[in-house]
Each structure stands twice: as structure tokens, then as C-alpha cells.
Short mmCIF file of all heavy atoms in Angstrom, two decimals:
data_model
loop_
_atom_site.label_atom_id
_atom_site.label_comp_id
_atom_site.label_asym_id
_atom_site.label_seq_id
_atom_site.Cartn_x
_atom_site.Cartn_y
_atom_site.Cartn_z
N LYS A 7 44.72 64.78 -34.11
CA LYS A 7 44.12 65.73 -33.19
C LYS A 7 44.58 65.55 -31.66
O LYS A 7 44.82 66.43 -30.96
CB LYS A 7 42.59 65.67 -33.30
CG LYS A 7 42.03 66.25 -34.57
CD LYS A 7 40.59 66.17 -34.78
CE LYS A 7 40.18 66.78 -36.09
NZ LYS A 7 38.79 66.70 -36.31
N TYR A 8 44.85 64.29 -31.42
CA TYR A 8 45.37 64.06 -30.11
C TYR A 8 46.75 64.66 -29.97
O TYR A 8 47.09 65.21 -28.96
CB TYR A 8 45.51 62.47 -29.81
CG TYR A 8 46.21 62.14 -28.44
CD1 TYR A 8 45.37 62.17 -27.29
CD2 TYR A 8 47.46 61.86 -28.51
CE1 TYR A 8 46.01 61.91 -26.16
CE2 TYR A 8 48.16 61.61 -27.30
CZ TYR A 8 47.39 61.67 -26.06
OH TYR A 8 48.03 61.33 -24.88
N LEU A 9 47.62 64.40 -30.93
CA LEU A 9 48.98 64.99 -30.89
C LEU A 9 48.97 66.42 -30.94
O LEU A 9 49.77 67.04 -30.23
CB LEU A 9 49.82 64.39 -32.11
CG LEU A 9 50.20 62.96 -32.04
CD1 LEU A 9 50.79 62.45 -33.46
CD2 LEU A 9 51.07 62.61 -30.83
N ASP A 10 48.01 67.05 -31.68
CA ASP A 10 47.87 68.51 -31.74
C ASP A 10 47.58 69.03 -30.33
O ASP A 10 48.14 70.00 -29.84
CB ASP A 10 46.76 68.89 -32.69
CG ASP A 10 46.61 70.33 -32.86
OD1 ASP A 10 47.66 71.02 -33.20
OD2 ASP A 10 45.44 70.82 -32.73
N ASP A 11 46.56 68.33 -29.65
CA ASP A 11 46.25 68.77 -28.24
C ASP A 11 47.34 68.55 -27.37
O ASP A 11 47.66 69.44 -26.51
CB ASP A 11 44.92 68.00 -27.77
CG ASP A 11 43.69 68.48 -28.53
OD1 ASP A 11 43.71 69.59 -29.16
OD2 ASP A 11 42.74 67.79 -28.47
N ARG A 12 47.96 67.40 -27.44
CA ARG A 12 48.97 67.00 -26.48
C ARG A 12 50.19 67.94 -26.41
O ARG A 12 50.76 68.28 -25.48
CB ARG A 12 49.42 65.57 -26.80
CG ARG A 12 50.66 65.05 -26.01
CD ARG A 12 50.17 64.61 -24.69
NE ARG A 12 51.14 63.74 -23.97
CZ ARG A 12 52.24 64.26 -23.34
NH1 ARG A 12 52.40 65.54 -23.19
NH2 ARG A 12 53.01 63.40 -22.65
N PHE A 13 50.54 68.36 -27.63
CA PHE A 13 51.72 69.20 -27.77
C PHE A 13 51.44 70.65 -28.14
O PHE A 13 52.31 71.46 -28.35
CB PHE A 13 52.67 68.61 -28.88
CG PHE A 13 53.27 67.25 -28.41
CD1 PHE A 13 52.80 66.10 -28.99
CD2 PHE A 13 54.19 67.12 -27.43
CE1 PHE A 13 53.26 64.90 -28.53
CE2 PHE A 13 54.66 65.88 -26.96
CZ PHE A 13 54.22 64.78 -27.53
N GLY A 14 50.19 71.07 -28.16
CA GLY A 14 49.86 72.49 -28.47
C GLY A 14 50.39 72.98 -29.74
O GLY A 14 50.88 74.04 -29.84
N LEU A 15 50.26 72.14 -30.82
CA LEU A 15 50.79 72.49 -32.13
C LEU A 15 49.99 73.52 -32.89
O LEU A 15 50.48 74.13 -33.78
CB LEU A 15 50.94 71.21 -33.00
CG LEU A 15 51.87 70.14 -32.37
CD1 LEU A 15 51.79 68.84 -33.17
CD2 LEU A 15 53.24 70.64 -32.14
N GLY A 16 48.70 73.62 -32.58
CA GLY A 16 47.87 74.55 -33.28
C GLY A 16 47.52 74.27 -34.74
O GLY A 16 47.24 75.11 -35.55
N LEU A 17 47.50 72.89 -35.04
CA LEU A 17 47.22 72.47 -36.40
C LEU A 17 45.78 72.47 -36.73
O LEU A 17 45.41 72.42 -37.91
CB LEU A 17 47.89 71.05 -36.61
CG LEU A 17 49.35 71.02 -36.47
CD1 LEU A 17 49.87 69.50 -36.58
CD2 LEU A 17 50.05 71.84 -37.41
N PHE A 18 44.91 72.50 -35.76
CA PHE A 18 43.48 72.35 -36.01
C PHE A 18 42.76 73.55 -35.27
O PHE A 18 41.99 73.36 -34.40
CB PHE A 18 42.91 71.13 -35.37
CG PHE A 18 43.36 69.84 -36.12
CD1 PHE A 18 44.43 69.12 -35.69
CD2 PHE A 18 42.76 69.41 -37.26
CE1 PHE A 18 44.87 67.94 -36.37
CE2 PHE A 18 43.06 68.25 -37.95
CZ PHE A 18 44.22 67.56 -37.45
N PRO A 19 43.08 74.80 -35.75
CA PRO A 19 42.42 75.96 -35.08
C PRO A 19 40.89 75.86 -35.41
O PRO A 19 40.50 75.49 -36.47
CB PRO A 19 43.03 77.10 -35.73
CG PRO A 19 43.62 76.67 -37.03
CD PRO A 19 44.03 75.22 -36.83
N PRO A 20 40.07 76.27 -34.36
CA PRO A 20 38.64 76.27 -34.62
C PRO A 20 38.24 77.03 -35.87
O PRO A 20 37.27 76.67 -36.54
CB PRO A 20 38.09 76.88 -33.37
CG PRO A 20 39.14 76.61 -32.26
CD PRO A 20 40.42 76.68 -33.05
N ALA A 21 38.88 78.10 -36.17
CA ALA A 21 38.49 78.91 -37.27
C ALA A 21 38.63 78.26 -38.62
O ALA A 21 37.98 78.62 -39.59
CB ALA A 21 39.34 80.22 -37.30
N LEU A 22 39.40 77.14 -38.69
CA LEU A 22 39.66 76.37 -39.90
C LEU A 22 39.00 75.03 -39.91
O LEU A 22 39.16 74.29 -40.87
CB LEU A 22 41.15 76.31 -40.26
CG LEU A 22 41.89 77.57 -40.48
CD1 LEU A 22 43.40 77.25 -40.67
CD2 LEU A 22 41.39 78.33 -41.58
N ALA A 23 38.22 74.73 -38.91
CA ALA A 23 37.75 73.37 -38.70
C ALA A 23 36.94 72.80 -39.94
O ALA A 23 37.28 71.84 -40.50
CB ALA A 23 36.88 73.28 -37.39
N GLY A 24 36.00 73.64 -40.40
CA GLY A 24 35.23 73.11 -41.59
C GLY A 24 36.01 73.00 -42.85
O GLY A 24 35.87 72.14 -43.59
N LEU A 25 36.87 74.01 -43.03
CA LEU A 25 37.73 74.07 -44.24
C LEU A 25 38.62 72.92 -44.31
O LEU A 25 38.81 72.21 -45.33
CB LEU A 25 38.43 75.43 -44.27
CG LEU A 25 39.17 75.72 -45.53
CD1 LEU A 25 38.25 75.55 -46.78
CD2 LEU A 25 39.76 77.11 -45.49
N GLN A 26 39.31 72.70 -43.20
CA GLN A 26 40.26 71.51 -43.16
C GLN A 26 39.52 70.22 -43.33
O GLN A 26 40.00 69.28 -43.95
CB GLN A 26 41.09 71.52 -41.92
CG GLN A 26 42.12 72.64 -41.93
CD GLN A 26 43.29 72.36 -41.01
OE1 GLN A 26 44.37 71.99 -41.49
NE2 GLN A 26 43.18 72.46 -39.74
N ASP A 27 38.27 70.14 -42.84
CA ASP A 27 37.57 68.84 -42.91
C ASP A 27 37.07 68.63 -44.36
O ASP A 27 37.00 67.45 -44.70
CB ASP A 27 36.34 68.92 -41.94
CG ASP A 27 36.66 68.82 -40.50
OD1 ASP A 27 37.78 68.34 -40.26
OD2 ASP A 27 35.84 69.17 -39.62
N LEU A 28 37.01 69.66 -45.12
CA LEU A 28 36.83 69.53 -46.47
C LEU A 28 37.96 69.14 -47.34
O LEU A 28 37.91 68.39 -48.26
CB LEU A 28 36.20 70.80 -47.09
CG LEU A 28 34.74 71.21 -46.72
CD1 LEU A 28 34.38 72.61 -47.14
CD2 LEU A 28 33.73 70.22 -47.29
N LEU A 29 39.11 69.70 -46.91
CA LEU A 29 40.33 69.56 -47.69
C LEU A 29 41.05 68.16 -47.46
O LEU A 29 41.51 67.55 -48.44
CB LEU A 29 41.29 70.66 -47.52
CG LEU A 29 40.98 72.01 -48.07
CD1 LEU A 29 41.92 73.07 -47.56
CD2 LEU A 29 40.95 71.88 -49.60
N TRP A 30 41.15 67.69 -46.24
CA TRP A 30 41.97 66.64 -46.02
C TRP A 30 41.50 65.37 -46.63
O TRP A 30 42.25 64.43 -47.12
CB TRP A 30 42.48 66.44 -44.56
CG TRP A 30 41.36 66.00 -43.57
CD1 TRP A 30 40.74 66.73 -42.64
CD2 TRP A 30 40.92 64.69 -43.46
NE1 TRP A 30 39.89 66.00 -41.95
CE2 TRP A 30 39.93 64.68 -42.37
CE3 TRP A 30 41.21 63.44 -44.00
CZ2 TRP A 30 39.25 63.51 -41.95
CZ3 TRP A 30 40.48 62.28 -43.53
CH2 TRP A 30 39.51 62.36 -42.51
N PRO A 31 40.15 65.11 -46.76
CA PRO A 31 39.73 63.99 -47.45
C PRO A 31 40.06 63.95 -48.98
O PRO A 31 40.31 62.98 -49.62
CB PRO A 31 38.19 63.95 -47.23
CG PRO A 31 37.91 64.72 -46.02
CD PRO A 31 39.02 65.75 -46.10
N VAL A 32 40.10 65.13 -49.56
CA VAL A 32 40.60 65.21 -50.92
C VAL A 32 41.98 64.89 -51.02
O VAL A 32 42.42 64.12 -51.94
CB VAL A 32 40.37 66.74 -51.46
CG1 VAL A 32 40.92 66.89 -52.83
CG2 VAL A 32 38.82 67.03 -51.52
N ILE A 33 42.79 65.32 -50.17
CA ILE A 33 44.22 64.97 -50.11
C ILE A 33 44.38 63.42 -49.96
O ILE A 33 45.15 62.82 -50.66
CB ILE A 33 44.97 65.76 -49.06
CG1 ILE A 33 44.97 67.19 -49.34
CG2 ILE A 33 46.39 65.25 -48.80
CD1 ILE A 33 45.40 68.10 -48.14
#
């Protein structure tokens, strides 16, 4: 998340926050 903010990568858009939080622990 720091790298995402620092470089403006858009990897953690607010619209996907809950969904990604469910998926990445499974991965």
C-alpha cells in the first residue's frame, strides 16, 4: 500500500477494498 500510494499505481482502489481484502489472504 505504501508503494501504491508513493507511485500512484492504483492497485488498491477504494471500490475494491473489501473484495481484495477477502481475496489476497486466500492467495
Side-chain angles (χ1 to χ4, degrees):
K7 289 177 180 178
Y8 175 82
L9 292 171
D10 184 53
D11 288 342
R12 174 82 166 83
F13 295 105
L15 302 172
L17 298 177
F18 293 94
L22 297 177
L25 186 54
Q26 289 204 102
D27 288 344
L28 289 171
L29 287 173
W30 73 256
V32 171
I33 294 167

